[in-house]
Amino acid sequence: GAGVSQSPSNKVTEKGKDVELRCDPISGHTALYWYRQRLGQGLEFLIYFQGNSAPDKSGLPSDRFSAERTGESVSTLTIQRTQQEDSAVYLCASSPPLGLAGGEQYFGPGTRLTVT
Amino acid sequence: AQKVTQAQTEISVVEKEDVTLDCVYETRDTTYYLFWYKQPPSGELVFLIRRNSFDEQNEISGRYSWNFQKSTSSFNFTITASQVVDSAVYFCALRSNTGKLIFGQGTTLQVKP
């Protein structure tokens, strides 16, 4: 079946502009996660959606970052007034409900964001 | 606080050597899961293994094996008879009951022919 897809694969934007990144999770996966990976670094958790529960936004680095999810499908991560330090690969992952099959997360290919 | 430490930043071996990647974690949760992911040069993260906190049995999958020891809070990963295609960044991760994964900084493995 289809895996997690993300678009665009690459995005170059000017400092100060807003960007919107999209994630399509695996069908049937109720949980969706966003992570950020700076060059040569590990992954930083940003936000987590689980079904109809309130999202866990504890990893969002500033109020310039926000994310939405439509039901149990598509999610968009929005970064307003981009800064150069926002340059990174943004990874989306989805997983079955917690407690089922251990909830391992399946990752998309990422969106490489470059802020000039 | 929850934390994952991969002390080895980079490892370089010659093909056919065995190599062990270390992972040490910290958590106060009694129930948790540990994961290993591989990130090849293409960039996409590939799930390798999941282990829950109640199962300390070692696991072997082909050339890969994992040693989970709660007493030392470690979940080490060994590749036997390494191959060039094993060259990648390997991440260890901890998942708590809240669901999010906490990743280590990764170990870059280079296998030379």
Side-chain angles (χ1 to χ4, degrees):
Chain A
V4 178
S5 61
Q6 293 186 245
S7 61
S9 54
N10 279 284
K11 177 73 176 178
V12 180
T13 189
E14 292 180 354
K15 178 182 173 181
K17 301 276 189 183
D18 297 352
V19 295
E20 199 170 270
L21 313 179
R22 177 188 169 107
C23 171
D24 282 273
I26 293 172
S27 178
H29 281 191
T30 57
L32 187 147
Y33 307 78
W34 283 98
Y35 295 88
R36 177 171 71 179
Q37 185 177 28
R38 290 195 167 113
L39 186 63
Q41 303 287 316
L43 279 75
E44 302 172 70
F45 166 78
L46 296 177
I47 188 169
Y48 157 47
F49 296 91
Q50 173 62 57
N52 294 320
S53 303
D56 176 354
K57 304 180 181 179
S58 60
L60 294 178
S62 77
D63 59 8
R64 296 186 297 104
F65 287 73
S66 63
E68 292 184 352
R69 187 179 186 194
T70 307
E72 292 186 351
S73 59
V74 172
S75 175
T76 55
L77 176 68
T78 301
I79 309 173
Q80 296 178 310
R81 305 181 301 282
T82 52
Q83 304 294 313
Q84 288 184 331
E85 62 263 28
D86 299 334
S87 296
V89 176
Y90 289 82
L91 290 156
C92 175
S94 70
S95 74
L98 292 184
L100 295 182
E104 58 257 35
Q105 297 177 21
Y106 296 87
F107 284 80
T111 294
R112 182 175 300 277
L113 175 66
T114 304
V115 182
T116 61
Chain B
Q2 296 178 317
K3 186 178 178 182
V4 176
T5 302
Q6 294 178 255
Q8 304 149 308
T9 305
E10 293 185 22
I11 301 176
S12 181
V13 299
V14 177
E15 205 169 20
K16 297 185 183 176
E17 285 185 15
D18 297 348
V19 58
T20 295
L21 309 182
D22 297 334
C23 174
V24 175
Y25 63 93
E26 296 175 28
T27 183
R28 292 181 180 176
D29 291 343
T30 54
T31 302
Y32 53 89
Y33 288 87
L34 295 162
F35 298 80
W36 275 94
Y37 283 87
K38 174 182 179 180
Q39 189 174 42
S42 62
E44 194 153 346
L45 277 157
V46 177
F47 165 76
L48 295 178
I49 191 172
R50 175 192 78 248
R51 170 67 72 224
N52 74 52
S53 53
F54 295 109
D55 183 0
E56 286 194 71
Q57 283 188 346
N58 291 334
E59 182 154 340
I60 298 174
S61 175
R63 297 184 296 108
Y64 296 170
S65 63
W66 291 268
N67 184 309
F68 174 37
Q69 292 191 343
K70 285 182 78 172
S71 61
T72 55
S73 297
S74 65
F75 186 41
N76 297 337
F77 172 31
T78 297
I79 302 174
T80 303
S82 59
Q83 300 176 1
V84 172
V85 293
D86 295 329
S87 297
V89 182
Y90 290 85
F91 290 98
C92 180
L94 166 70
R95 198 200 80 194
S96 69
N97 289 333
T98 59
K100 67 186 181 187
L101 285 176
I102 297 155
F103 284 84
Q105 287 299 99
T107 297
T108 300
L109 174 64
Q110 183 180 32
V111 181
K112 298 178 181 177

